[in-house]
Amino acid sequence: MTFNTLSIEKSVPGKRGIKFPSAQKPSKYLKASSMRQKTPNLPQLSEFDVIRHFTNLSRLNYSLDTHFYPLGSCTMKYNPRAYEVLAGLENFTSLHPFADVSCAQGTLEIMYNLERTLSELCGFEEFTLQPAAGAHGEWTGVLVAKAFHAANKDAARTEVIVPDTAHGTNPATANMGGLSVINIKSGPDGCVDLDELKKHLSPKTALVMLTVPNTAGLFEKDIKKIAEVVHAAGALLYMDGANFNALIGLAKPGDWGVDILHLNMHKTFSTPHGGGGPGAGAVGVTKNLAKFLPCPKVVKDGAGFKFAYDKNSIGRVKAFYGNAAVLVKAYCYVRQHDENTFKEISENAVLNANYIREKLKEIFPAYFDKTCMHECVLTIDKEKLRGVKTLDVAKRLLDYGFYAPTIYFPLIVPEAMMIEPTETESKDTLDKFIEAMKQIFMEALQTPALPADAPRCTPVKRIDEVSAAREPNLRW
Ligand SMILES: *Cc1c(COP(=O)(O)O)cnc(C)c1O
């Protein structure tokens, strides 16, 4: 089947879709000079040809709806369709952003309740729902930290300490927030090295940003001690909680001494994502930081809800009140679950990642040989595998009908494969994936050309990814 033939190449002169009758008399409204004189050079195809063409194109996509998608750190899990239906109710979608609060009470109540539930789940005083993405939440947190230090007449704090196991967005957003970034090396166990951290803490430290679980898929076992030393140095502790499906219902970061936390609604809290669609990066803070959060905030006012402003606030970070539809879906999610089922979610996310790690350890060992959280970071022995690299394994997985894991990240792990199965995959799917990985390992030993030339079964074979990203050719 020639999937990738563009419609222009399929054009046959004279073929067409709908034929409209020609006008009976000249239009009163259109001047002759505005009318097209020549027929445009468009592909000539029947409607049926066009439908087949685009349907076939759409089926070339790997997606969560069609394939297991273990892309580490992205939490590509199943999100109930019912939430889409609810978020699509006309009451939400037709609400005008400038509608008076008296006409928006239902939506405001949802925002208020969601904010309260997230605060409860994470052990914080307040949350803002405004930021549109995880990185946007981080940036909001950085501004809150700066506002806090400025209010304490401590504006000389201009540095952020970020360990090498942080998500890439952490140093980037700290930088965009106007602070300078100090990178520190992790210990041999893949966690923050307390002595290394202490060495870099100073009266200039504004913030320490930790990704928990970190990008090695590990829990920061010393988190409480880290919070102590950070506070003793007069700095604040930020936690990137984008992958909170490893912790939800199990632990409250507020209890550990974390001051600022962001969550990705479009990972843990049930909004499908990828391709740059709308998201939400809610940010929670402790009591002493609450007044700096973005405004307006939704507050309860007698029996109703209204917007409130605070002169200490860092201001608005997003038009209106953030991505409301994403927040409605998050609300559906938190309403569907309770303490026990949240706990089950994180236990299953952790169990699934450890199941894969255990089952593959003889052939693709985990870089840090210990229990992981929601994802495991495996590596390969290139010598044993006759030169077959992580990239080859990832490409070969496509031939077996699986999306590839995140590869070559985190940077501290050579030949890294970061596999995040998520809590919603069945054991049956995990077993099929493990089987495919075993097959690829055997191929690497016996017929290394097979993985080295993969993918073979996709419509486009191995591409030069750098040129594809830098010089995309999206037209004929
Ligand atoms: C996805 C992710 C982010 C960034 O979230 P965006 O919504 O893509 O900006 C930050 N940190 C971690 C740990 C993540 O997994």
Side-chain angles (χ1 to χ4, degrees):
M1 205 180 328
T2 49
F3 274 128
N4 48 353
T5 314
L6 290 158
S7 50
I8 193 86
E9 291 152 9
K10 289 187 169 176
S11 178
V12 176
K15 273 203 174 185
R16 60 186 302 159
I18 304 166
K19 188 166 184 340
F20 292 104
S22 31
Q24 301 287 314
K25 47 183 181 179
S27 164
K28 280 197 294 204
Y29 307 105
L30 285 175
K31 288 183 289 188
S33 62
S34 331
M35 310 271 264
R36 194 190 276 283
Q37 300 303 315
K38 275 192 354 212
T39 316
N41 183 24
L42 291 174
Q44 299 185 43
L45 293 158
S46 73
E47 185 172 326
F48 199 15
D49 287 337
V50 173
I51 286 172
R52 283 213 174 128
H53 173 69
F54 284 107
T55 304
N56 282 329
L57 275 186
S58 74
R59 285 167 51 190
L60 297 182
N61 274 343
Y62 272 76
S63 75
L64 202 54
D65 289 351
T66 54
H67 297 85
F68 178 49
Y69 211 118
L71 194 64
S73 202
C74 292
T75 312
M76 304 302 278
K77 67 176 185 179
Y78 174 72
N79 298 302
R81 287 298 190 276
Y83 304 168
E84 296 292 331
V85 177
L86 294 170
L89 288 176
E90 214 201 326
N91 310 50
F92 299 120
T93 56
S94 65
L95 181 63
H96 194 281
F98 283 127
D100 187 82
V101 288
S102 64
C103 308
Q105 286 295 304
T107 301
L108 293 187
E109 181 173 358
I110 284 178
M111 301 305 150
Y112 180 85
N113 287 345
L114 176 62
E115 191 250 298
R116 288 319 314 148
T117 310
L118 295 179
S119 302
E120 186 58 33
L121 266 171
C122 302
F124 286 101
E125 177 75 8
E126 262 183 48
F127 260 78
T128 174
L129 306 175
Q130 270 187 33
H136 195 191
E138 292 167 32
W139 179 76
T140 303
V142 168
L143 297 194
V144 166
K146 277 175 75 174
F148 169 79
H149 292 307
N152 288 344
K153 308 261 181 292
D154 203 3
R157 294 188 178 269
T158 53
E159 290 178 354
V160 177
I161 298 177
V162 184
D164 55 9
T165 50
H167 196 76
T169 48
N170 296 183
T173 46
N175 193 285
M176 284 196 68
L179 298 174
S180 46
V181 178
I182 312 254
N183 263 298
I184 59 166
K185 264 174 82 74
S186 305
D189 60 351
C191 292
V192 168
D193 176 340
L194 264 174
D195 291 331
E196 185 69 13
L197 173 64
K198 283 184 201 158
K199 247 192 265 167
H200 290 87
L201 281 166
S202 81
K204 282 167 121 186
T205 314
L207 200 60
V208 174
M209 282 180 104
L210 297 186
T211 302
V212 185
N214 68 24
T215 58
L218 303 175
F219 183 72
E220 287 295 349
K221 58 185 188 341
D222 296 326
I223 186 85
K224 283 188 168 168
K225 273 190 223 135
I226 293 172
E228 270 171 35
V229 298
V230 169
H231 292 152
L236 295 173
L237 181 61
Y238 186 98
M239 173 174 146
D240 176 339
N243 306 124
F244 203 59
N245 57 329
L247 294 166
I248 196 166
L250 287 181
K252 300 185 178 190
D255 296 349
W256 306 330
V258 171
D259 299 290
I260 311 173
L261 163 93
H262 88 264
L263 301 171
N264 275 31
M265 299 295 106
H266 48 292
K267 281 179 186 165
T268 309
F269 293 85
S270 249
T271 279
H273 68 113
V283 177
V285 294
T286 50
K287 194 166 183 180
N288 54 342
L289 298 175
K291 63 182 177 191
F292 302 112
L293 282 180
C295 279
K297 298 175 187 179
V298 177
V299 295
K300 205 167 181 175
D301 177 29
F305 298 89
K306 66 171 191 184
F307 286 125
Y309 296 81
D310 188 319
K311 65 177 184 344
N312 298 292
S313 163
I314 60 164
R316 216 186 256 280
V317 297
K318 176 88 177 80
F320 306 112
Y321 203 70
N323 283 325
V326 175
L327 301 172
V328 173
K329 282 181 258 184
Y331 183 65
C332 296
Y333 186 67
V334 299
R335 285 301 301 267
Q336 185 166 12
H337 291 287
D338 58 28
E339 251 170 71
N340 294 325
T341 56
F342 274 136
K343 195 159 159 266
E344 253 169 50
I345 286 167
S346 39
E347 285 172 349
N348 284 332
V350 171
L351 179 64
N352 283 356
N354 280 290
Y355 183 69
I356 289 181
R357 185 181 60 84
E358 259 311 297
K359 289 278 182 182
L360 290 178
K361 71 177 180 193
E362 303 298 330
I363 54 176
F364 299 112
Y367 188 70
F368 297 103
D369 187 19
K370 57 179 174 179
T371 308
C372 61
M373 297 294 284
H374 62 302
E375 62 195 359
C376 55
V377 180
L378 311 186
T379 182
I380 65 178
D381 180 343
K382 270 200 280 188
E383 257 161 49
K384 191 156 145 202
L385 284 194
R386 300 176 63 189
V388 168
K389 305 183 294 296
T390 281
L391 179 68
D392 306 323
V393 174
K395 294 293 180 192
R396 188 64 176 147
L397 273 170
L398 302 177
D399 287 336
Y400 280 94
F402 296 102
Y403 196 78
T406 297
I407 55 173
Y408 298 106
F409 191 81
L411 301 175
I412 55 168
V413 178
E415 297 296 320
M417 283 183 278
M418 193 190 207
I419 300 172
E420 182 184 8
T422 81
E423 66 273 20
T424 56
E425 292 296 342
S426 64
K427 178 170 177 294
D428 183 45
T429 301
L430 301 188
D431 284 334
K432 288 192 175 117
F433 174 76
I434 289 161
E435 203 41 52
M437 290 290 275
K438 288 184 175 165
Q439 292 275 343
I440 295 170
F441 180 80
M442 289 312 290
E443 287 173 0
L445 299 186
Q446 291 160 4
T447 47
L450 267 179
D453 290 343
R456 295 161 174 253
C457 309
T458 50
V460 178
K461 304 294 175 268
R462 183 141 344 168
I463 53 168
D464 173 349
E465 297 189 2
V466 177
S467 326
R470 299 274 183 258
E471 298 157 32
N473 180 3
L474 306 176
R475 356 177 1 165
W476 65 85

